[in-house]
Amino acid sequence: FRQLISEIIQEKEFDCIFLDGTLPSGAHMIKQMREMGIKTPIIGSDNFDSVTLIEIAGNAAEKVITYSTFNPSLPETPTLNFVKAFKEKYGVMPDTDAAQAYDAVRVLATSIRKSGTAVPLSIASTMRLLKNRKGVTGTYSFEKTGSISDKALFFKIVKGGKFEFFKPESTQKINIFN
């Protein structure tokens, strides 16, 4: 990525970089950006919501901001129960992929049960009618198109080699420029 990075550096001044890449290539790019002297904040998509980012980029991942649809510290009962059961069974904290997979299976099971059939079209139609469904990733609803709406996002920053969630208050200030 060095050629691309040099072109970015030479083109314009910037206050931050939004990188909508995937892992592992995005982590390698972040590492190279830091090696080439880019110190500005890097904001990544939810594709960077993985310890793989930290494992590959190492110290270069410090202060990278990403977002997630799952916060294991949510005080809601479904989340607390899921985290507890997952930790008991697997001995580790669940990650976003585990939580989303769990919710997806539960949504599918609910839709099959409510539709009373295993016919895909009926299941999909039933799913589109689900509103304010509580899951381990929070509450969400479906649109007529099948898209999810009203889904909370949780922002995280890499600090000390680990992800740290931003506080829920929107007024939280964090110095990402040092």
Side-chain angles (χ1 to χ4, degrees):
F1 303 105
R2 293 184 190 284
Q3 178 64 38
L4 175 64
I5 296 167
S6 344
E7 290 173 20
I8 292 169
I9 293 170
Q10 293 171 17
E11 282 294 315
K12 305 242 181 224
E13 287 188 36
F14 45 88
D15 294 324
C16 71
I17 294 172
F18 176 74
L19 184 58
D20 187 20
T22 58
L23 295 173
S25 58
H28 290 293
M29 187 171 192
I30 289 170
K31 189 172 185 178
Q32 288 177 9
M33 281 192 269
R34 296 300 191 217
E35 288 168 355
M36 293 175 72
I38 294 178
K39 294 183 180 3
T40 57
I42 298 171
I43 302 168
S45 69
D46 63 334
N47 293 327
F48 294 154
D49 181 21
S50 169
V51 293
T52 304
L53 169 68
I54 299 165
E55 291 168 355
I56 294 171
N59 289 336
E62 283 296 303
K63 296 190 178 178
V64 168
I65 297 170
T66 186
Y67 64 91
S68 177
T69 57
F70 176 60
N71 182 343
S73 301
L74 277 180
E76 316 236 343
T77 304
T79 306
L80 294 172
N81 291 342
F82 171 73
V83 169
K84 181 181 178 198
F86 193 95
K87 280 172 56 177
E88 285 174 4
K89 181 160 185 152
Y90 301 106
V92 295
M93 284 290 286
D95 62 7
T96 301
D97 291 339
Q100 287 179 326
Y102 181 83
D103 273 354
V105 169
R106 303 240 336 147
V107 164
L108 182 59
T110 298
S111 299
I112 291 170
R113 192 170 41 257
K114 283 187 173 195
S115 69
T117 180
V119 175
L121 186 58
S122 295
I123 296 168
S125 297
T126 302
M127 193 178 293
R128 285 181 174 94
L129 298 172
L130 293 177
K131 300 287 181 215
N132 299 315
R133 186 184 188 292
K134 287 192 184 258
V136 300
T137 62
T139 303
Y140 52 92
S141 298
F142 288 90
E143 299 290 328
K144 287 187 254 181
T145 61
S147 297
I148 295 174
S149 64
D150 302 326
K151 191 74 188 106
L153 298 177
F154 305 97
F155 288 87
K156 309 176 354 175
I157 187 167
V158 178
K159 277 189 174 179
K162 294 185 284 191
F163 282 111
E164 189 176 294
F165 282 91
F166 281 64
K167 293 178 185 157
E169 304 88 44
S170 60
T171 58
Q172 179 189 8
K173 293 181 182 175
I174 186 159
N175 185 354
I176 57 175
F177 289 97
N178 294 358

